[in-house]
Amino acid sequence: MTMILRHLTVDSSEPYELARFWSEVTGWPLSDEDVPGDDEVLVEAPSPVPGLLFIRVPEAKSAKNRLHIDWVPDERTRDEEVDRLTALGAKLFEDHRTREGMGWVTMQDPEGNEFCIERSTIERNA
């Protein structure tokens, strides 16, 4: 028996606002059913990629994530993507770039959830 990964679910204090941030990051749309103030908001990914579901929880994030997403830019370099995400409201958390151009950057979204930006597809193929 197999299973299909439907959503990656993220606890949030403000689901709609965080989903809007991630919609800007990914270029994926919010569900047409979601409105500001909803307790659950879905960022719809292109099939077969799982969507990002943000759900309201009463407690704030208190520790480093045990699971995070690694992203590979497709249209920009890693460093251009880091700059773009910083302008959207992400924060640099840990910088693992090397002088030789290798490595990745760990960032935090506006609610402090960690994610990584790796070298782009173009950079990997160069």
Side-chain angles (χ1 to χ4, degrees):
M1 181 185 290
T2 62
M3 298 198 358
I4 296 171
L5 182 58
R6 182 171 177 205
H7 300 132
L8 295 174
T9 302
V10 180
D11 291 351
S12 174
S13 62
E14 297 294 336
Y16 190 84
E17 288 77 10
L18 194 56
R20 283 188 55 207
F21 166 82
W22 281 103
S23 177
E24 287 289 323
V25 168
T26 61
W28 304 340
L30 295 180
S31 170
D32 291 336
E33 299 173 11
D34 295 325
V35 296
D38 280 354
D39 289 335
E40 297 180 6
V41 181
L42 177 64
V43 177
E44 297 178 331
S47 182
V49 176
L52 300 174
L53 180 63
F54 298 87
I55 61 170
R56 187 178 312 279
V57 297
E59 64 277 350
K61 182 178 180 294
S62 61
K64 186 177 183 300
N65 294 17
R66 295 293 299 236
L67 175 71
H68 70 262
I69 303 172
D70 292 344
W71 297 96
V72 175
D74 195 35
E75 299 175 357
R76 287 171 282 279
T77 68
R78 175 201 54 216
D79 296 347
E80 289 169 339
E81 189 67 6
V82 167
D83 291 343
R84 183 181 82 89
L85 298 179
T86 301
L88 290 174
K91 295 180 186 119
L92 185 72
F93 183 65
E94 295 176 340
D95 194 334
H96 299 277
R97 292 176 277 195
T98 67
R99 289 185 191 138
E100 299 80 29
M102 304 297 280
W104 68 96
V105 176
T106 304
M107 302 189 79
Q108 292 178 323
D109 71 15
E111 290 197 13
N113 299 299
E114 296 89 8
F115 61 96
C116 290
I117 303 299
E118 297 183 2
R119 291 182 317 134
S120 70
T121 304
I122 297 167
E123 291 170 301
R124 290 168 183 268
N125 293 334

